Structure formats: structure tokens, C-alpha cells
């Protein structure tokens, strides 16, 4: 089965956002600007230092992103990035880190389905869901 990879678009602050995500999630970040690529001739001068493509690899997590040089990005409420955490310590740490400068939309709390769950909108307007299954599914 192919791997599903979230791809985020930004209005000029992709580098800042992806650097923030790397600080929160760890891993290796690769950023390619428009300048110096064949795409540069099609991008406005003001967007030359924008991000054509960025990839963050951290364990099994892959997150990709770019700036949108031709039109502003309008984030909707139909998309979330969901992190399934492996421990209570991990969910607490990631919830606090990714929520820094953002807004908690649902505080972390134990839920009726046997998980600790919460939601934040980060400082870049991206919605994150956090889940830690206290009860592991039976095989």
C-alpha cells in the first residue's frame, strides 16, 4: 500500500513553519527554494526565496510543504494533522510544543474511547489532533 504523506501549503512562511515543526518533532529537514531551480523563471521576484519544496523526516513521520507564490493560502476547517503518540509523556510534550504560540481548540483529556486526546491550531494556522491510545487494540 502507498504511504499517505501530508502536504502543507503556506503563504510565504513555509521555511519558518517547517523549522518550527522540526524543532517540535525532531528529524531531518530539507528545504529547496525557488531560486536556482528551473521554476524560478515562473515565480515573482518577491517569492524567489520562498520554499518550492520542503520535506521533514522524523522516524516514520514524513511531512511535506511549500509556499504558494501565486495566490494566498486559505486554510479550511476540513483538514487536520493527526499524531498518534506512543506514550503519555510524548503526547504531553508534542501538544505543548506544537501549541506554542497557537490556540488550544480541545484540551488534552482522557476520552470515553480509552485514549488521551486533544487538538490545537498552531501559530501557522494548521490544525493538529493528538491521540494516545491507553488501551491497545486487540490483535
Amino acid at each position: 500500500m502507498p504511504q499517505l504523506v501530508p502536504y502543507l501549503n503556506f503563504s510565504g512562511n513555509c521555511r519558518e513553519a517547517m523549522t518550527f515543526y522540526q524543532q517540535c518533532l525532531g528529524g531531518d529537514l530539507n528545504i529547496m527554494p525557488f531560486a536556482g531551480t528551473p521554476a524560478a523563471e515562473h515565480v515573482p521576484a518577491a517569492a524567489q526565496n520562498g520554499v518550492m519544496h520542503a520535506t521533514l523526516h522524523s522516524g516514520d513521520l514524513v511531512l511535506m510543504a511549500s509556499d504558494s507564490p501565486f495566490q494566498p493560502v486559505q486554510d479550511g476547517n476540513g483538514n487536520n494533522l493527526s499524531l498518534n503518540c506512543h506514550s503519555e509523556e510524548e503526547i504531553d510534550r508534542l501538544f505543548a510544543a506544537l501549541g506554542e504560540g497557537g490556540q488550544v481548540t480541545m484540551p488534552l483529556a482522557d476520552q470515553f474511547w480509552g485514549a488521551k486526546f486533544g487538538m490545537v491550531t498552531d501559530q501557522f494556522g494548521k490544525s493538529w489532533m493528538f491521540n494516545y491510545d491507553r488501551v491497545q487494540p486487540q490483535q
Side-chain angles (χ1 to χ4, degrees), residues 2 17 23 31-32 36 38 41 55 58-59 61 66 72 80 82 84 90 96 98 100:
Q23 290 169 354
I31 296 177
M32 177 187 300
E41 66 185 71
T55 305
S58 181
L61 176 109
S66 64
N80 293 287
S82 181
N84 293 316
E90 183 178 52
L98 287 162
E100 181 76 27

Side-chain angles (χ1 to χ4, degrees), residues 13-98:
N13 61 347
C14 180
R15 181 182 306 274
E16 179 184 357
M18 292 297 282
T19 300
F20 173 74
Y21 298 149
Q22 180 190 32
Q23 290 169 354
C24 294
L25 301 168
D28 297 316
L29 176 61
N30 294 303
I31 296 177
M32 177 187 300
F34 288 103
T37 71
E41 66 185 71
H42 305 287
V43 176
Q48 289 293 312
N49 289 325
V51 175
M52 186 177 95
H53 183 72
T55 305
L56 175 62
H57 290 271
S58 181
D60 289 338
L61 176 109
V62 178
L63 182 62
M64 295 181 179
S66 64
D67 282 314
S68 178
F70 303 109
Q71 60 190 14
V73 174
Q74 294 182 328
D75 289 321
N77 62 1
N79 298 299
N80 293 287
L81 296 166
S82 181
L83 291 176
N84 293 316
C85 300
H86 296 99
S87 69
E88 186 149 3
E89 294 77 22
E90 183 178 52
I91 195 172
D92 291 342
R93 178 180 58 79
L94 292 174
F95 188 87
L98 287 162

